[in-house]
Amino acid sequence: MLTTLEFILIMLATSVVGVVVFRRLNLPPMLAYLVVGSVVGPNALAIIQADSQWTQLAEFGVVFLMFSIGLEFSLERLKAMRHMVFGLGSLQVLVVVSSCLGINAVLPAHIQLPWAMAFAMGAALAMSSTAMVLQLLKEQQAIETAHGRKIIGILLLQDLIVLPLLIILAAFTNTTTTWGLTISLALLKMVVVLGLLFFGGRWCIQYWLSIVARARSQELFMLNLLLITLGAAAITHAAGLSLSMGAFIAGMLIAETDFRHQVEQDIKPFRDVLLGLFFITIGTLLNWDIVLASSIYVVLFLTVFIVLKFALVAMLTYYFGRKKKLGSALRTGLLLAQAGEFSFVLIHYVTQTLNTKNVTHNTLLQITLAAMVLSMLLTPFIFKYADRIVMRFSASEWLQQSLHLTRLAAQSIKERDIVLIVGYGRCGEQLASLLSNEKQAYQVLDLDLDRVAEGRARGVAVMYGDASQRESLLAAGLLRTRILVLTFHDERAAQRLVRLARSMAPQLPIIVRSVDEKPLDALIAAGATEVVPDALESSLMLASHTLISLGYPLRQVVHFVQHSRKNQYAALREGMNLPTELMSHTDAEHAPHKP
């Protein structure tokens, strides 16, 4: 029997090794935790037992996950996406669950699942991975694309509908009353608790957090944050609902306050660690003896599951949209074809609550669990090859991309020695305005359709385009570009784009904007000519204003700023072949003189 310290050390060591290996393979840490759980679980090394107290602690990982989702949720966003969320999202869940129930109904009697278990498995298979899909969309800068918005709408509904699904499952397993009465009572409790928390909790949380914030104690703020989250979870649990529902409501309430971003950063360590522990406990459900003995059925189930879910989601997305775009529908289906975090929550509920003794049913549950894990393992690879797959099945998609690249090339081919700007946020907008005033030709690429439309309305040379694609960079005129400027904050995306641009144009000067100096070495190693940290420029401006307010002569302040920039941006001067003397002379010539 392991001591608590030995248990913790083994869990930490295996988790660290697993996460490092999966990170090296560019796979999500979530999969590492699942694999670790399958190795240390009761069906392998037996370090974690089925009735371990750690499995109860791991449930708080889901609590904090739901709290984080609540922080991202807003009534305004829901209103804007109501047709996508409640229309397409709910239809997707309904169709997948109904399909699973229909398939179960035609199975032979000896392997047919009980109705409640079939419903639970259908609901589990209807879920997709919010954490994994949103992270991959962010990395590919595809959140604002047509399929990105559809995916977000469906994922949002899936996150919201987990709680009603758990209520329905609890009603199915309650044999003392009719399931209709149980559902009605549960929904009534939910409405009452929601009303009390929303109308009474919003003002209380804002007022109380304001008092706590005035104490200027990070420790006190964190303690109150945990108290609010777990307190709300305890209220809903006492009402017969789930812990996750209370945490979700607490997140929504805090999202309406001025402390949302601070709370999001503070809660992240708790969420990630406990969620990792949760996935480890989910991995312990895998019975390797059954899985290896039924490996053919696991592969078969995985293939059928992915293909059917892809087909159903793609079909619904295509016919639900006002503009029937096959390419967008296919991408949506491909990127949502996997299982999700809450799939394991529902499967865990099946194994713990229904507790079937049927050997065939247990084997089917193990096959389903293994297939869901493998589907998530395949998701990054599906993302990587989604475009190629879509263009094989959609000639119109290939034609649309060709027309888009042709328009982009036609606009950029008129100019030579342009400045290519990637990102039309505030920084990109100001840079474009400055270049326009100086009569310098430029071209802006951005993936946000709203910003593109806004820029075009102002007469700015901004085009919709994915700069992470080689074809888009060529069409935008990278080989005729005088300098490339990246103005967005995503460091990983910036590194990939710098490497791509450097491989295509080895001598091209590339300037990258960053938040601070931390990614400077990595970006320079990737091929950036210079990195301009926001923090450095802000500190120089603050220092100059401070010195002027203290009575220092303007010329001395200007020389101070020049000297600082000279040291920080030496690489930029070398990359642009500008002598230091010329830069200093120019700066001194335009420097303000002391009155």
Side-chain angles (χ1 to χ4, degrees):
M1 184 68 179
L2 293 175
T3 65
T4 302
L5 179 59
E6 291 172 338
F7 175 84
I8 293 175
L9 287 175
I10 292 175
M11 295 295 292
L12 287 175
T14 53
S15 298
V16 168
V17 172
V19 171
V20 168
V21 171
F22 275 67
R23 277 295 190 187
R24 289 291 182 90
L25 297 174
N26 291 322
L27 295 173
M30 179 193 313
L31 299 179
Y33 293 127
L34 291 171
V35 173
V36 167
S38 66
V39 172
V40 302
N43 300 308
L45 299 180
I47 296 175
I48 295 181
Q49 301 299 327
D51 57 348
S52 173
Q53 61 180 347
W54 298 98
T55 60
Q56 300 176 2
L57 178 62
E59 294 180 6
F60 287 103
V62 183
V63 170
F64 284 104
L65 175 62
M66 289 301 294
F67 178 79
S68 299
I69 293 172
L71 285 175
E72 296 295 329
F73 187 84
S74 66
L75 295 178
E76 291 77 11
R77 185 180 182 186
L78 177 63
K79 184 178 180 181
M81 301 178 63
R82 59 187 182 277
H83 297 296
M84 197 68 65
V85 175
F86 295 107
L88 179 59
S90 58
L91 189 61
Q92 179 264 333
V93 174
L94 178 62
V95 170
V96 173
V97 173
S98 300
S99 300
C100 290
L101 291 175
I103 293 174
N104 182 69
V106 299
L107 291 176
H110 67 284
I111 62 173
Q112 198 174 88
L113 296 175
W115 197 85
M117 185 178 294
F119 180 88
M121 289 188 63
L125 296 177
M127 299 294 109
S128 301
S129 177
T130 300
M132 184 180 294
V133 173
L134 288 183
Q135 180 63 29
L136 291 171
L137 283 176
K138 182 180 179 182
E139 290 179 358
Q140 295 187 359
Q141 299 181 8
I143 290 180
E144 294 298 332
T145 60
H147 66 276
R149 292 172 180 173
K150 292 184 178 71
I151 288 172
I152 290 175
I154 294 175
L155 289 175
L156 183 58
L157 188 281
Q158 289 180 359
D159 292 335
L160 293 176
I161 208 171
V162 169
L163 303 177
L165 287 175
L166 290 174
I167 293 173
I168 293 173
L169 285 173
F172 289 156
T173 57
N174 191 333
T175 58
T176 58
T177 58
T178 61
W179 66 271
L181 179 60
T182 304
I183 292 177
S184 300
L185 291 175
L187 292 178
L188 179 60
K189 288 181 181 179
M190 184 175 66
V191 171
V192 172
V193 172
L194 277 171
L196 291 175
L197 289 176
F198 268 112
F199 294 105
R202 182 180 302 179
W203 179 85
C204 291
I205 287 179
Q206 173 70 37
Y207 178 74
W208 179 247
L209 287 180
S210 299
I211 296 176
V212 173
R214 292 192 185 100
R216 298 181 181 274
S217 171
Q218 182 69 23
E219 179 182 1
L220 180 61
F221 189 84
M222 179 67 69
L223 288 173
N224 277 273
L225 180 59
L226 295 175
L227 175 62
I228 291 172
T229 305
L230 299 180
I235 291 174
T236 55
H237 183 68
L241 305 176
S242 68
L243 292 168
S244 301
M245 176 176 286
F248 176 74
I249 295 172
M252 287 188 62
L253 294 177
I254 293 179
E256 301 292 331
T257 69
D258 301 328
F259 306 97
R260 171 183 171 182
H261 298 292
Q262 179 64 37
V263 167
E264 191 172 8
Q265 292 301 317
D266 289 343
I267 206 68
K268 188 176 180 181
F270 293 95
R271 181 197 66 193
D272 293 345
V273 171
L274 291 175
L275 194 58
L277 184 57
F278 170 76
F279 284 120
I280 289 176
T281 60
I282 293 299
T284 63
L285 298 177
L286 274 177
N287 189 321
W288 285 106
D289 293 334
I290 297 178
V291 171
L292 293 177
S294 309
S295 57
I296 297 177
Y297 297 103
V298 171
V299 175
L300 179 62
F301 188 95
L302 173 66
T303 304
V304 173
F305 163 55
I306 289 181
V307 171
L308 284 181
K309 189 173 182 182
F310 156 71
L312 289 172
V313 174
M315 180 183 65
L316 290 173
T317 305
Y318 179 76
Y319 286 105
F320 190 85
R322 296 178 181 177
K323 296 181 180 179
K324 293 178 171 57
K325 296 183 178 181
L326 180 59
S328 178
L330 292 175
R331 280 191 179 87
T332 304
L334 281 171
L335 304 186
L336 292 177
Q338 79 289 129
E341 298 86 3
F342 291 115
S343 299
F344 299 107
V345 176
L346 293 164
I347 288 294
H348 185 63
Y349 181 88
V350 171
T351 58
Q352 295 297 317
T353 305
L354 300 181
N355 194 24
T356 177
K357 302 298 183 181
N358 189 301
V359 176
T360 303
H361 294 167
N362 284 328
T363 302
L364 182 57
L365 284 174
Q366 291 296 325
I367 292 174
T368 303
L369 186 63
M372 290 196 306
V373 173
L374 291 176
S375 73
M376 297 177 71
L377 186 65
L378 290 174
T379 298
F381 303 102
I382 295 176
F383 262 77
K384 184 176 181 179
Y385 297 104
D387 286 339
R388 298 182 185 180
I389 296 173
V390 168
M391 284 190 283
R392 281 183 176 272
F393 291 95
S394 175
S396 61
E397 178 73 13
W398 177 87
L399 181 60
Q400 288 175 7
Q401 289 199 11
S402 299
L403 290 174
H404 163 68
L405 294 176
T406 301
R407 288 194 298 268
L408 185 59
Q411 179 165 331
S412 64
I413 203 171
K414 301 174 185 177
E415 303 286 350
R416 298 192 66 85
D417 296 332
I418 65 172
V419 176
L420 181 57
I421 305 170
V422 179
Y424 190 63
R426 293 182 180 179
C427 183
E429 180 182 355
Q430 293 174 0
L431 178 58
S433 177
L434 185 148
L435 295 174
S436 180
N437 292 336
E438 296 297 326
K439 309 300 181 184
Q440 167 63 49
Y442 66 90
Q443 176 67 58
V444 185
L445 286 182
D446 199 285
L447 269 175
D448 191 323
L449 291 173
D450 295 331
R451 286 202 296 257
V452 171
E454 181 182 351
R456 287 180 180 175
R458 296 177 179 176
V460 179
V462 55
M463 287 286 291
Y464 176 83
D466 185 359
S468 64
Q469 301 295 324
R470 180 182 297 268
E471 294 79 7
S472 295
L473 285 178
L474 289 174
L478 180 70
L479 301 182
R480 300 186 304 278
T481 296
R482 185 175 180 181
I483 191 168
L484 174 64
V485 184
L486 311 185
T487 66
F488 53 87
H489 274 160
D490 192 331
E491 297 170 7
R492 291 186 180 179
Q495 290 181 33
R496 289 194 298 270
L497 181 51
V498 168
R499 292 192 188 95
L500 177 61
R502 182 60 67 209
S503 67
M504 299 169 63
Q507 304 302 322
L508 178 67
I510 303 176
I511 300 178
V512 184
R513 174 197 180 197
S514 69
V515 178
D516 49 37
E517 294 87 352
K518 292 180 182 178
L520 190 144
D521 292 338
L523 289 168
I524 293 295
T529 308
E530 186 57 62
V531 180
V532 181
D534 288 348
L536 172 63
E537 289 299 325
S538 298
S539 64
L540 288 176
M541 291 302 298
L542 285 171
S544 62
H545 282 284
T546 301
L547 292 174
I548 291 173
S549 298
L550 290 172
Y552 281 75
L554 285 175
R555 184 179 296 275
Q556 186 175 348
V557 174
V558 170
H559 282 309
F560 161 76
V561 175
Q562 288 176 353
H563 180 72
S564 299
R565 284 204 175 104
K566 177 182 177 180
N567 293 334
Q568 293 290 336
Y569 297 134
L572 174 61
R573 295 189 180 100
E574 294 173 2
M576 299 181 67
N577 298 317
L578 293 177
T580 303
E581 295 79 5
L582 176 60
M583 294 290 291
S584 301
H585 173 75
T586 304
D587 290 340
E589 181 181 351
H590 293 281
H593 298 280
K594 181 180 178 181

